[in-house]
Amino acid sequence: MAKLRIGGIWAGVIELELENWTVTMLREEVAKRSNAGVADSINLICAGKLLKDGSENLSQLGIKNNAKILASRVSVDEGKSLENELIAEEERSRRLARVKAAATALSKRHVDGSLPIEDFNIELENQGGQKVQLGTETDQQAVMMGLMLHANAKNLIKRQMYKDALEVLTMGEEAFSLCDPKVLEFVDNVPILQIDMVWCYFLLQDISWLSVAGMRLKKAREGLERCHGKDLSRVRLLQAGCQPELALHMRLELLEGVVAYHSGQFDEARKALNAAQAKFSQLEVPDEALSHVMSMGFKEHDARRALRLNNQDIGSAVGFLFEEKAKRAKKREDDIRHRKELMEQKQYGLTPLKKAVNLEQLEALVAIGFEKSLAAEALRRNENDFQNALDDLTNPETNSAIQLVIESRKRKRQQLTLDRRIEGLVSMGFDRAAVVAAVQVCETMEETMSRLLSGSEPGPNIEANSNENPASEPNNVNPDSLSNDDTAEGPSTSREAERDVEMEDELAREIEDGDALSDYDIEVTKEGEAIKEYLTLLASTNNGKKALSL
């Protein structure tokens, strides 16, 4: 028997068996001894942790002999509310942990040249849509992870889950910090993330972040000036005269004004807010222009976005929308082509270091005149080293060994297909011997089913246990040439089992829904209201005395 020392609404010692008692039983015992009535009105705290009902016994919860338990009494509704809050907080923490784990797993899988499990591959592109390589593999992974987390956070902001968004943005900031700063010098994603973090502080109305907000905004401004140019010349050149950054800079100036206001720097606040107000006026879309663009068949959100990005010019906005439509169509075509390439790569298997066969080098070998599957196997076994692969292909001995490997793999695939068909038919109730005989003479499942149902006899030369199985192994294959053959059919299924498929798919959808201008696509209604509110507050102050009392 163990002893628990109870304090609070009832003081004393309870003797019990830790392995047999649960929190519910202990709660009921304390309620009985304290005459508290309903057990649900009792809260039990041990070592600063609230004990919750569950199937685990006290020993499993880490409670030991002579442990001290604080018992307090709350209303039933208050107790249930507290429990619900704790459950919600635990669920929130679990989800955030899943987001980080999924982003880590995706970035790791898609950055090192490994063959992806999915039917897509995540790549870093610049705003022009060209694939980019940023620094080392570690840098590339850090950037990829940061971008995925940032995309998830922006989605949470849209859903008004600002606290969760701030947590994910912090994870994204940590991911970017793992990258060489020089790599990120001319990338505006990090400054935008800083602005989004301060925007969350603002939406949460949490003034305790004031000093941190000021530092983040300073870094964001420096970063944007480095990327966009002080006079925005660089971004104008990249966007061919389009003004995608206007809403972003407006939000930055608004937040700078808010921070300055709450810091008592009213002249600075007024200057920043007036600049934000001027940009907001430029971003307000006239109803007439919006209606005109929508009459051409475009949705309201797309039309409003196009007008904002093109300084309210209807002709430029319409041209922009048609260009965006063409880009989306091209992206769909590219996605289809890329999926086909991935399917092709999976046929060739993985290199000894678990990388996919490089299709560009494969096409180069094919262009020389080598058969595709032969060239692919030469690249696979040589870690995509073009020259070594070429040497193997031009060497009669190694060329012959590679052909034997390809033939062996083909036979294995054929046998695997046959085995699956046999097991499927046997599970339907057909006799195994009859099934084995039928699949040897029928090419498809439909033909096999038809033969079995018709009761046709197999040909006289086919035997169920024939040694002339077309998938039997050749006797003269060099075992060394079959190294890594298990990966020839594609990525290991063990990686599939470890995936958080639901969360990874969610992150992938968020990436897919974005485009080169997503970071600048800001719905400015809240910003406009905030600018008006703070300009009114500034106007009502008497040299700042009233504001300092807030």
Side-chain angles (χ1 to χ4, degrees):
M1 297 288 283
K3 294 180 180 180
L4 296 182
R5 303 183 185 280
I6 312 298
I9 61 168
W10 178 82
V13 176
I14 297 178
E15 293 187 357
L16 47 76
E17 294 180 356
L18 295 173
E19 291 77 11
N20 295 330
W21 278 57
T22 63
V23 173
T24 302
M25 295 167 66
L26 179 59
R27 195 194 308 279
E28 290 173 349
E29 184 64 23
V30 171
K32 183 173 70 174
R33 298 195 184 199
S34 63
N35 296 317
V38 182
D40 287 343
S41 67
I42 303 296
N43 269 348
L44 302 176
I45 299 174
C46 180
K49 181 180 178 182
L50 182 68
L51 302 181
K52 295 182 293 181
D53 295 328
S55 59
E56 293 178 309
N57 60 47
L58 298 179
S59 178
Q60 290 172 321
L61 293 173
I63 298 175
K64 303 183 183 299
N65 184 33
N66 285 321
K68 293 180 180 179
I69 308 289
L70 175 64
S72 60
R73 186 173 182 178
V74 295
S75 69
V76 175
D77 290 340
E78 184 182 344
K80 288 182 178 178
S81 175
L82 180 60
E83 184 177 357
N84 289 337
E85 286 180 18
L86 287 169
I87 292 172
E89 183 61 27
E90 283 188 4
E91 177 57 34
R92 176 175 168 274
S93 297
R94 276 196 297 270
R95 188 188 184 284
L96 291 172
R98 288 177 61 205
V99 169
K100 185 174 183 179
T104 303
L106 276 173
S107 60
K108 188 174 182 180
R109 282 208 309 271
H110 287 262
V111 80
D112 63 357
S114 298
L115 197 60
I117 294 171
E118 308 87 350
D119 63 351
F120 61 85
N121 202 0
I122 300 173
E123 297 175 339
L124 294 179
E125 295 180 350
N126 59 22
Q127 291 188 0
Q130 289 86 31
K131 183 179 175 181
V132 293
Q133 176 69 41
L134 297 175
T136 65
E137 188 175 296
T138 300
D139 295 330
Q140 191 94 340
Q141 183 179 342
V143 173
M144 192 177 286
M145 184 175 175
L147 292 175
M148 279 190 278
L149 291 169
H150 194 180
N152 182 258
K154 286 188 286 188
N155 185 269
L156 292 170
I157 292 173
K158 287 180 183 177
R159 292 158 57 189
Q160 300 183 14
M161 299 170 68
Y162 306 128
K163 187 178 178 182
D164 287 6
L166 190 54
E167 293 271 10
V168 177
L169 286 168
T170 303
M171 295 178 198
E173 183 181 40
E174 291 173 358
F176 281 129
S177 72
L178 300 175
C179 184
D180 183 346
K182 291 183 180 178
V183 172
L184 298 174
E185 230 170 47
F186 296 101
V187 177
D188 65 5
N189 301 91
V190 178
I192 293 172
L193 181 139
Q194 297 284 347
I195 294 172
D196 285 344
M197 292 184 82
V198 181
W199 182 238
C200 284
Y201 300 158
F202 175 78
L203 294 170
L204 288 167
Q205 298 183 339
D206 190 348
I207 201 170
S208 67
W209 292 98
L210 192 61
S211 60
V212 179
M215 289 189 296
R216 290 195 183 284
L217 293 176
K218 184 181 178 181
K219 288 181 181 178
R221 178 165 289 282
E222 291 171 354
L224 289 181
E225 286 180 354
R226 196 165 50 245
C227 298
H228 295 172
K230 255 195 170 179
D231 56 354
L232 303 177
S233 57
R234 188 174 291 115
V235 73
R236 288 284 186 276
L237 183 63
L238 286 171
Q239 297 298 336
C242 187
Q243 300 184 83
E245 81 300 330
L246 197 62
L248 180 68
H249 283 263
M250 181 268 296
R251 179 182 281 181
L252 171 61
E253 289 167 345
L254 160 63
L255 294 172
E256 287 174 331
V258 170
V259 170
Y261 174 83
H262 286 292
S263 300
Q265 300 171 0
F266 302 110
D267 289 339
E268 291 297 320
R270 189 174 288 106
K271 180 182 176 182
L273 289 167
N274 284 334
Q277 176 65 52
K279 289 182 174 61
F280 178 74
S281 298
Q282 287 181 262
L283 291 164
E284 286 189 290
V285 177
D287 291 341
E288 185 180 345
L290 180 63
S291 176
H292 188 90
V293 176
M294 289 178 63
S295 68
M296 301 182 70
F298 296 106
K299 294 179 181 178
E300 180 180 352
H301 173 269
D302 294 335
R304 192 181 297 277
R305 177 189 192 225
L307 286 164
R308 280 181 182 150
L309 294 175
N310 290 276
N311 200 25
Q312 318 301 342
D313 184 87
I314 293 175
S316 298
V318 171
F320 171 84
L321 286 166
F322 278 115
E323 186 179 339
E324 289 293 292
K325 186 176 180 180
K327 285 181 180 177
R328 287 194 294 271
K330 184 178 183 302
K331 184 178 183 301
R332 284 193 294 270
E333 291 176 2
D334 289 343
D335 287 344
I336 292 171
R337 175 181 54 78
H338 195 61
R339 285 191 179 95
K340 288 180 179 177
E341 288 177 350
L342 285 174
M343 293 299 293
E344 181 182 353
Q345 283 181 309
K346 288 180 180 181
Q347 291 177 7
Y348 303 138
L350 304 177
T351 70
L353 294 180
K354 310 297 183 185
K355 309 293 184 184
V357 170
N358 187 303
L359 293 183
E360 290 181 7
Q361 296 195 30
L362 175 59
E363 291 302 325
L365 288 172
V366 171
I368 295 174
F370 295 105
E371 195 269 325
K372 202 166 192 177
S373 61
L374 191 67
E377 176 58 23
L379 285 169
R380 187 194 71 78
R381 58 164 44 198
N382 285 289
E383 285 295 340
N384 289 312
D385 187 300
F386 183 87
Q387 188 57 52
N388 287 344
L390 184 61
D391 290 344
D392 279 353
L393 290 169
T394 53
N395 183 308
E397 185 177 340
T398 53
N399 186 302
S400 177
I402 291 172
Q403 291 187 52
L404 288 173
V405 170
I406 294 171
E407 184 62 29
S408 170
R409 191 172 298 146
K410 181 180 178 182
R411 290 171 183 267
K412 282 186 176 182
R413 281 198 293 266
Q414 289 174 340
Q415 185 59 49
L416 184 62
T417 301
L418 287 176
D419 290 345
R420 286 173 180 166
R421 193 186 304 173
I422 288 169
E423 294 306 318
L425 291 167
V426 170
S427 68
M428 295 179 190
F430 292 106
D431 177 70
R432 180 176 291 275
V435 169
V436 170
V439 297
Q440 300 291 348
V441 294
C442 299
E443 293 185 0
T444 65
M445 176 67 93
E446 290 75 13
E447 290 176 0
T448 309
M449 283 282 292
S450 177
R451 187 178 188 89
L452 289 168
L453 291 171
S454 68
S456 301
E457 291 296 326
N461 296 325
I462 303 296
E463 297 180 12
N465 298 316
S466 171
N467 291 326
E468 296 179 7
N469 188 331
S472 60
E473 290 291 332
N475 294 324
N476 58 346
V477 176
N478 180 357
D480 292 337
S481 69
L482 294 178
S483 61
N484 194 41
D485 193 51
D486 290 339
T487 64
E489 299 299 327
S492 169
T493 55
S494 64
R495 290 199 295 162
E496 183 79 32
E498 295 169 2
R499 291 179 60 202
D500 184 345
V501 178
E502 181 184 10
M503 187 55 67
E504 288 186 7
D505 286 349
E506 181 179 324
L507 293 179
R509 282 195 302 272
E510 289 165 348
I511 298 169
E512 188 176 12
D513 291 341
D515 58 31
L517 298 175
S518 291
D519 284 328
Y520 311 114
D521 187 15
I522 296 174
E523 175 54 58
V524 297
T525 304
K526 282 189 173 71
E527 285 83 352
E529 293 170 354
I531 292 168
K532 184 178 180 181
E533 177 188 351
Y534 274 86
L535 284 174
T536 302
L537 286 171
L538 277 171
S540 67
T541 59
N542 180 16
N543 293 324
K545 292 178 182 177
K546 291 183 181 178
L548 289 173
S549 64
L550 291 177

